[in-house]
Amino acid sequence: MTSFAPDSIVLNRKLPLWYQVSQSLRASILGRSPRDPLRLPTEEQLAVHYGVSVLTMRQALKELEDEGLITRHRRRGTFIEPDARRGTPVRLLGSVDAIVAQQSGMTTELLAHGRAEVPGEFAEFFPDLDEVATYHRLRSDEKTGEPTNHAVNYVRPELADRVDLDDLVRWPMTKVLRDVVGADISRITDTVQARLADPETARLLDVPLLSPILHYTGVTYDTGGRPLDVAVIHYRGDRFSFTVTLDAT
């Protein structure tokens, strides 16, 4: 039986290895094609793939098993759970792959794209530009079709010229910029605020006007400290919670 092939990552030694591996594998699982096999490689094969110990790999798999994304069967192997509920928890621990994972695993519809003037609230991030490329996407639960979040990305035009729209339907912008466009991402800053849904957000997310939503702003920087992308995402307050874990080491 052919096994599912996860993406590769470059590990950051300042963060727990098991966490980085679990988030990378989670993003691969949630972003898989329906035609991909459900069986995962063995613990040993995955450990070699990620360049970690079997013990670290086992801890990463337990994280995914506890979340309900995989099931493990003695002698049969480890399998992706196709009916697992996805997209509800958002856990941040300073890893780019954590951002990719939290944005993956939902049906995505590209609502609109084009060029626009730099919004005044984001002018500080694009001081050398008059306009940016914009992408509006609506994500929905795969099983129920229920809208879960609405995302708008503001991207530097020279990067947008290399973005394939088909990739944006399958993957989060962070993954497209890093793994397809080849942007050298160094960090992402995240801001999460509680807000009330305005008329347009309420319509898109199919919630009553003034319902509680989570307003997320993420700024992606390259290694030179230049902002590449500003993402604004509105999450349904009844479907998402944010957990921020701080590593004290």
Side-chain angles (χ1 to χ4, degrees), residues 149-170:
N149 68 84
H150 172 242
V152 182
N153 289 85
Y154 303 90
V155 183
R156 293 189 66 88
E158 67 270 23
L159 297 177
D161 289 341
R162 290 181 277 160
V163 170
D164 188 319
L165 297 181
D166 289 338
D167 288 337
L168 287 180
V169 174
R170 180 178 180 187

Side-chain angles (χ1 to χ4, degrees), residues 38 40 61 64-65 68-74 76-82:
L38 294 177
L40 288 179
L61 290 172
L64 300 181
E65 184 179 26
L69 284 180
I70 62 173
T71 55
R72 310 182 74 187
H73 304 276
R74 187 176 180 84
R76 289 181 53 213
T78 302
F79 296 83
I80 297 169
E81 179 51 61

Side-chain angles (χ1 to χ4, degrees), residues 175-195:
K175 181 176 177 63
V176 172
L177 291 178
R178 185 188 65 178
D179 298 343
V180 180
V181 174
D184 194 3
I185 296 174
S186 65
R187 63 189 174 95
I188 299 174
T189 61
D190 304 302
T191 303
V192 182
Q193 300 171 307
R195 293 191 179 181

Side-chain angles (χ1 to χ4, degrees), residues 62-95:
K62 185 178 186 304
E63 175 81 358
L64 300 181
E65 184 179 26
D66 290 344
E67 189 179 335
L69 284 180
I70 62 173
T71 55
R72 310 182 74 187
H73 304 276
R74 187 176 180 84
R75 296 190 180 90
R76 289 181 53 213
T78 302
F79 296 83
I80 297 169
E81 179 51 61
D83 296 324
R85 182 179 177 84
R86 304 169 183 179
T88 300
V90 179
R91 302 181 58 194
L92 305 179
L93 189 60
S95 160

Side-chain angles (χ1 to χ4, degrees), residues 5-9 44-52:
D7 295 337
S8 298
I9 59 170
E44 291 77 12
Q45 291 170 330
L46 286 170
V48 170
H49 174 78
Y50 285 110
V52 297

Side-chain angles (χ1 to χ4, degrees), residues 30-143:
L30 295 180
R32 75 189 188 280
S33 165
R35 299 181 299 274
D36 289 338
L38 294 177
R39 184 173 188 170
L40 288 179
T42 65
E43 287 181 353
E44 291 77 12
Q45 291 170 330
L46 286 170
V48 170
H49 174 78
Y50 285 110
V52 297
S53 69
V54 172
L55 184 62
T56 295
M57 193 67 240
R58 193 168 295 158
Q59 189 174 5
L61 290 172
K62 185 178 186 304
E63 175 81 358
L64 300 181
E65 184 179 26
D66 290 344
E67 189 179 335
L69 284 180
I70 62 173
T71 55
R72 310 182 74 187
H73 304 276
R74 187 176 180 84
R75 296 190 180 90
R76 289 181 53 213
T78 302
F79 296 83
I80 297 169
E81 179 51 61
D83 296 324
R85 182 179 177 84
R86 304 169 183 179
T88 300
V90 179
R91 302 181 58 194
L92 305 179
L93 189 60
S95 160
V96 171
D97 284 286
I99 303 298
V100 172
Q102 65 100 342
Q103 296 174 4
S104 301
M106 288 168 274
T107 300
T108 302
E109 178 186 359
L110 182 63
L111 300 178
H113 67 92
R115 299 291 176 93
E117 291 185 4
V118 177
E121 61 185 311
F122 301 136
E124 64 178 295
F125 301 117
F126 303 108
D128 59 325
L129 298 177
D130 294 323
E131 65 175 19
V132 288
T134 62
Y135 301 88
H136 294 252
R137 287 174 294 167
L138 183 67
R139 300 188 181 102
S140 304
D141 185 277
E142 289 180 330
K143 293 184 64 178

